[in-house]
Amino acid sequence: MSRLSKRLYQRSLPLFLTAIITAIFIVQYIILPQSSLDFVKTELTNWGILIATCAMFVSVIILLLMHFHKVTRGIKAKERLTVLYSGTAIVSFFTYMILGSLWPGGVNSSTYTSIYVNTIAPIAIAMNALQLFYTTRAAYRAFRAYTLEAFVMFISAVLWLLRGMPVGAVLWSWLLPIADWITTAPSAAGTRGGTIAAAIGGLILAIRALIGKEPGLIEAEVT
Amino acid sequence: MSALGRLGKLSDRTLYIIILLSILIPVVYPLGLPMAISPMTQHAYDVINALPNGSVVVLQNSDPANYWPQIRPQWVALLHLLFSKDIKIIAYSLYPDASTVNIKIFSTGIAEQYGKKYGEDYVLFGYLPGEETAINAFATNIRKVYSADIYGTPIDNIPLMKNVHDYNDISMVFIELQSVTDWHFNVRQWYGNFKRTLICMSITSEMLGYLGAGKQVEAAIDSLRGGTELEMILHKPGEGVTLIDSRNLGAATTVTLIILGNVGYYFSRKKEAKT
């Protein structure tokens, strides 16, 4: 009995609701754009924002619980690094939450904004700087013309980098049309192909989900 | 191994020293390398400059605060362009701390230089969760998703918002998004659903698929490079001009190392074949 009810509220009910809401959106968009369904669609969209807000709130709690759990486990198992990493996350969270709550003007005050950005920006700059070292090293080691395909990759990479150099437009302007062609023809065409393929795949998945043929994650959760 | 063959086997330490020098040299001795304005930035400038006075544009920011140093030059240049005309700006964010970035963008002092006032010429709204749903709801009816700006002023008390209700009152949308995977829903909503002109503030592989595909993305300003070019078009050299040398030398170092690696590989293989 409990198994049946679990299936009902974890699989059947969400699928039923999804089907109804999708049907409303499809009818409103394609058949009756300027009807009373427009109001229903707007309200449902606003509910979507409410649900997203609640989901974010829940995700913060889950994240905190996970880190509390890691700290507790780390202390017991004497895993210093785990305690340090998760402890830093918890301390940062509460520090900024208290600062944002108590500071005059809240999280949108210029002082709070400066404290926040001046903390996170240097960290990001440091990370980006490290990335430059690693990506350059990786490019040096990886872009070797071992085969014809690798040679094409090597030429494309060099052209792309030369195109990306602002000084390039002055020093080797004759190269830019070739690099631009690679960007706007094969690269853009490949991206568009990928986007269209993903969209068709998404559509098929949606239709299968709507008619109950695609158990997907919901089924995995139930079983 | 021959000297040329060794070029393909440089140690990590040597590589890191070369990269470090390539970053440090332009910082210590600015090189002032020449630069041309790309057709992409020129087109973006032409499109934005063609906006009639009194137009309302939206800045939709989805970048976290750690991108701020990278995007600052382009936003300073763009604010110069928008505020030199009578263009009104509504900023909102689709990422939790992107509203912090919006506050920083308008704290650069550009608005004050042109005598622009908060609430009359620009307004900031907070974080709106829901991504695609959020864009649709914002464009359909701003008052349904925001009752007040980030400072708590009721939306109906903001002079700029008196005549702005939905997408019909918006001429152009600037999208700040460094992600490579989230472009589809921005285009789907702002262009597909509401037929607004989109200007992209960064270049990503997914966005390139939409740029030049009809008017899906009308124009793009390529982050630091685009910002620097905009500074040059506007004759307002700023931070971008000083930072662009590092980008030039960083890319030049990478290209040189890739070529050296291949030269080394070619000669070491040739020697192996002989022996």
Side-chain angles (χ1 to χ4, degrees):
Chain A
M1 182 63 191
S2 69
R3 176 89 191 142
L4 181 70
S5 60
K6 196 179 173 188
R7 265 194 96 73
L8 182 74
Y9 74 78
Q10 283 196 347
R11 185 172 189 275
S12 306
L13 202 58
L15 278 178
F16 178 72
L17 284 173
T18 309
I20 293 287
I21 291 168
T22 310
I24 291 171
F25 273 74
I26 290 169
V27 172
Q28 187 276 330
Y29 186 79
I30 298 170
I31 305 166
L32 301 164
Q34 301 294 329
S35 66
S36 53
L37 270 184
D38 195 34
F39 170 76
V40 179
K41 173 240 152 190
T42 308
E43 283 305 309
L44 285 173
T45 310
N46 292 334
W47 289 4
I49 293 173
L50 283 177
I51 292 166
T53 312
C54 294
M56 176 141 296
F57 182 68
V58 171
S59 67
V60 168
I61 294 171
I62 291 170
L63 189 76
L64 270 178
L65 285 175
M66 185 196 80
H67 282 297
F68 273 121
H69 179 69
K70 276 190 167 183
V71 168
T72 322
R73 203 182 54 195
I75 291 169
K76 277 182 191 166
K78 293 184 179 171
E79 291 169 353
R80 284 184 183 177
L81 281 177
T82 309
V83 176
L84 180 71
Y85 295 150
S86 291
T88 308
I90 294 166
V91 169
S92 307
F93 178 86
F94 282 106
T95 305
Y96 280 96
M97 196 179 77
I98 292 165
L99 269 177
S101 309
L102 302 181
W103 205 277
V107 291
N108 299 317
S109 69
S110 59
T111 316
Y112 179 86
T113 308
S114 294
I115 293 170
Y116 180 67
V117 174
N118 291 336
T119 308
I120 204 158
I123 296 169
I125 292 167
M127 290 301 291
N128 284 342
L130 284 175
Q131 212 179 10
L132 175 73
F133 285 88
Y134 292 127
T135 48
T136 309
R137 188 191 66 163
Y140 169 75
R141 303 224 183 279
F143 284 121
R144 296 280 162 91
Y146 297 114
T147 60
L148 182 65
E149 289 88 344
F151 180 73
V152 172
M153 281 286 288
F154 159 71
I155 294 292
S156 307
V158 170
L159 280 174
W160 177 256
L161 283 163
L162 291 176
R163 180 189 181 273
M165 285 171 68
V167 72
V170 178
L171 296 182
W172 40 82
S173 53
W174 55 274
L175 253 180
L176 294 184
I178 306 168
D180 278 341
W181 178 81
I182 292 173
T183 311
T184 53
S187 174
T191 309
R192 283 172 197 163
T195 307
I196 291 167
I200 294 169
L203 182 69
I204 293 167
L205 202 69
I207 293 167
R208 281 177 60 84
L210 284 173
I211 57 174
K213 294 279 181 193
E214 182 57 56
L217 276 176
I218 297 174
E219 187 68 22
E221 286 289 324
V222 176
T223 50
Chain B
M1 188 183 287
S2 68
L4 283 170
R6 272 191 217 111
L7 288 174
K9 292 193 163 57
L10 295 178
S11 69
D12 285 354
R13 189 179 296 176
T14 315
L15 289 174
Y16 292 156
I17 290 169
I18 293 169
I19 299 162
L20 188 67
L21 286 175
S22 76
I23 303 166
L24 278 180
I25 288 169
V27 174
V28 181
Y29 299 105
L31 304 172
L33 292 170
M35 189 175 167
I37 292 154
S38 66
M40 192 185 278
T41 309
Q42 185 63 52
H43 176 62
Y45 169 80
D46 293 341
V47 170
I48 300 164
N49 201 37
L51 277 172
N53 280 335
S55 301
V56 176
V57 299
V58 163
L59 149 59
Q60 180 192 293
N61 195 339
S62 301
D63 281 348
N66 50 351
Y67 281 109
W68 171 236
Q70 187 182 326
I71 63 174
R72 183 167 48 202
Q74 68 183 24
W75 278 105
V76 168
L78 186 67
L79 286 193
H80 273 297
L81 174 56
L82 294 174
F83 283 144
S84 65
K85 297 165 67 77
D86 184 23
I87 307 287
K88 317 283 184 195
I89 308 171
I90 299 170
Y92 81 112
S93 65
L94 292 181
Y95 192 83
D97 63 349
S99 49
T100 314
V101 180
N102 287 346
I103 293 172
K104 293 297 283 182
I105 288 172
F106 289 94
S107 307
T108 45
I110 311 298
E112 288 75 19
Q113 281 182 34
Y114 293 90
K116 302 294 178 185
K117 287 181 184 164
Y118 181 80
E120 290 177 18
D121 300 291
Y122 65 98
V123 64
L124 306 179
F125 289 105
Y127 166 54
L128 193 60
E131 297 191 327
E132 184 165 7
T133 317
I135 296 172
N136 187 291
F138 179 88
T140 307
N141 189 345
I142 299 173
R143 278 162 179 75
K144 278 274 185 183
V145 291
Y146 289 116
S147 58
D149 69 357
I150 55 166
Y151 302 114
T153 313
I155 193 165
D156 289 323
N157 293 352
I158 300 169
L160 166 55
M161 296 307 292
K162 289 239 162 79
N163 297 317
V164 182
H165 300 276
D166 56 29
Y167 69 94
N168 288 306
D169 307 312
I170 296 164
S171 303
M172 191 176 275
V173 182
F174 294 89
I175 296 185
E176 178 60 65
L177 173 66
Q178 301 283 337
S179 162
V180 293
T181 55
D182 291 345
W183 261 97
H184 55 100
F185 65 74
N186 285 283
V187 175
R188 197 157 52 223
Q189 290 301 324
W190 280 118
Y191 178 79
N193 229 354
F194 302 111
K195 296 287 178 285
R196 297 300 95 184
T197 305
L198 288 188
I199 306 285
C200 170
M201 300 299 287
S202 61
I203 298 287
T204 65
S205 53
E206 191 196 2
M207 193 282 298
L208 278 172
Y210 296 109
L211 186 68
K215 298 273 181 188
Q216 292 183 348
V217 173
E218 176 66 52
I221 297 171
D222 182 7
S223 299
L224 176 62
R225 179 185 179 165
T228 310
E229 289 174 357
L230 208 53
E231 286 177 4
M232 288 168 65
I233 294 172
L234 297 168
H235 302 292
K236 289 201 178 290
E239 199 181 2
V241 171
T242 53
L243 290 175
I244 208 73
D245 276 350
S246 297
R247 180 162 173 175
N248 270 320
L249 232 62
T253 308
T254 311
V255 171
T256 312
L257 285 172
I258 291 174
I259 293 169
L260 286 181
N262 277 280
V263 169
Y265 167 70
Y266 175 77
F267 279 98
S268 62
R269 209 177 59 165
K270 208 171 162 184
K271 196 166 184 186
E272 275 170 25
K274 272 185 187 171
T275 52

